Amino acid sequence: MIVTDVLAPRSGKPRAFVPTMGALHDGHRELMRVAREHVGLEGEVVVSVFVNPLQFGANEDFDQYPRTLEADRAACEAEGVNILYVPTVWTIYGESPSITVDPGPLGEELEGASRPGHFAGVLTVVGILLHQVAPDFALFGEKDYQQLELVRRMCRDLSFPVTVVGVPTVRESDGLARSSRNVYLSADDRRRAAAIPRALKAGSNATSVEQIRTAAIHELNAADLDIDYVEVRSNDLGHDVPEGEARLLLAVHAGSSRLIDNGPVHVGSDGSE
Ligand code: AMP
């Protein structure tokens, strides 16, 4: 495995790319495995580890974000990654960048409503990384569903020559989504956070948009989690929710941590209000 902060020009082999902020866990490793499936044993899997300052707000956890490069390196090695790219802020942004990617209206909603500028930061770094790595496939987790949708839109609207692949969320045994930020949870917050997958399950058993929201909110309230939002959207995050498959998305505070999750729901014939 090559570990580098500067990428050589890419070879002609098929290439799949997994951008991360490090503190790698089994969710990231699943992305690496799906990446390998897309390019085969002859292809190249590239993983980046870069904690992107541009996507953190002033009061967020940029300085505290877990940095575990030695363990990350071992995880990548174990997954047969070909290139571990660990750029510096300089390699990504140069001296004084003034151009960013505008995520459009969806960038202000859901996560964007609580985290102003977050998705401009995400899309800007993803755009730079996609140009530097030049992959055929880029893998993103459904765990960050809005991020996945915005990356899809950026690649479509700005004609990035890459296929964006979404990967289902990897969960702990009680259903909590794996996250680098789970290490911040106190034992009590961790126990209460198990209500999040229960809320998604309760939502998936309801049929109308309002019943789905109410069922999810009930589970979160019962665990005394502080709700930021609980919303039902179309699968591409539109406000008009058609009958059939849709998405339930939520964000809560547990102690000092903010946790997000989402899952599929089915809206029945009386559910399109
Ligand atoms: P992060 O390092 O948190 O920025 O995440 C890097 C990539 O891993 C993103 O595409 C995330 O959506 C994805 N990811 C994070 N957690 C999970 C998970 N539990 N299951 C699947 N993908 C995940």
Side-chain angles (χ1 to χ4, degrees):
M1 183 173 76
I2 296 168
V3 183
T4 183
D5 61 355
V6 181
L7 285 170
R10 67 162 278 185
S11 69
K13 296 174 182 172
R15 177 174 273 198
F17 176 43
V18 179
T20 82
M21 297 205 300
L24 301 180
H25 51 65
D26 204 44
H28 299 112
R29 292 180 67 149
E30 176 67 8
L31 266 57
M32 296 176 208
R33 294 189 278 265
V34 177
R36 176 60 67 194
E37 285 169 15
H38 277 76
V39 294
L41 288 175
E42 299 307 312
E44 290 176 331
V45 173
V46 182
V47 173
S48 66
V49 170
F50 180 65
V51 185
N52 174 31
L54 207 59
Q55 72 190 66
F56 286 77
N59 302 319
E60 294 183 0
D61 56 348
F62 176 73
D63 288 329
Q64 286 79 41
Y65 198 83
R67 288 163 172 86
T68 60
L69 192 56
E70 267 323 298
D72 293 349
R73 184 189 178 118
C76 290
E77 194 93 59
E79 293 298 337
V81 167
N82 300 93
I83 301 173
L84 173 56
Y85 178 40
V86 190
T88 61
V89 172
W90 174 268
T91 325
I92 295 292
Y93 291 117
E95 192 170 334
S96 58
S98 58
I99 305 293
T100 55
V101 177
D102 178 353
L106 178 57
E108 312 295 315
E109 301 172 13
L110 299 165
E111 283 303 283
S114 300
R115 307 184 68 186
H118 171 66
F119 286 116
V122 169
L123 293 187
T124 301
V125 78
V126 170
I128 293 167
L129 286 166
L130 288 175
H131 285 308
Q132 293 183 343
V133 177
D136 303 290
F137 303 96
L139 293 287
F140 292 85
E142 287 183 355
K143 160 76 173 36
D144 301 285
Y145 194 88
Q146 188 179 7
Q147 168 175 283
L148 169 61
E149 173 61 21
L150 284 166
V151 169
R152 282 192 202 284
R153 290 187 190 190
M154 175 178 76
C155 291
R156 181 195 64 200
D157 294 355
L158 303 184
S159 288
F160 279 65
V162 64
T163 300
V164 176
V165 179
V167 178
T169 303
V170 175
R171 298 178 178 280
E172 312 265 2
S173 55
D174 65 354
L176 183 67
R178 299 292 310 260
S179 166
S180 306
R181 289 189 167 100
N182 288 353
V183 297
Y184 300 150
L185 294 171
S186 68
D188 183 50
D189 293 338
R190 174 64 188 80
R191 191 181 46 73
R192 291 186 303 132
I196 294 170
R198 286 203 299 275
L200 295 176
K201 179 92 171 43
S204 73
N205 290 331
T207 45
S208 79
V209 168
E210 257 333 292
Q211 285 165 352
I212 291 168
R213 285 193 73 240
T214 305
I217 289 169
H218 177 78
E219 289 291 341
L220 300 172
N221 281 340
D224 216 12
L225 291 168
D226 181 12
I227 295 172
D228 189 348
Y229 62 81
V230 175
E231 287 200 34
V232 180
R233 295 279 183 110
S234 67
N235 276 340
D236 59 0
L237 297 184
H239 288 272
D240 291 332
V241 183
E243 281 177 28
E245 298 309 310
R247 208 78 190 173
L248 170 61
L249 303 104
L250 61 85
V252 301
H253 292 273
S256 57
S257 300
R258 189 166 174 286
L259 301 171
I260 62 171
D261 206 342
N262 67 88
V265 291
H266 188 88
V267 177
S269 52
D270 59 341
S272 52
E273 71 261 61

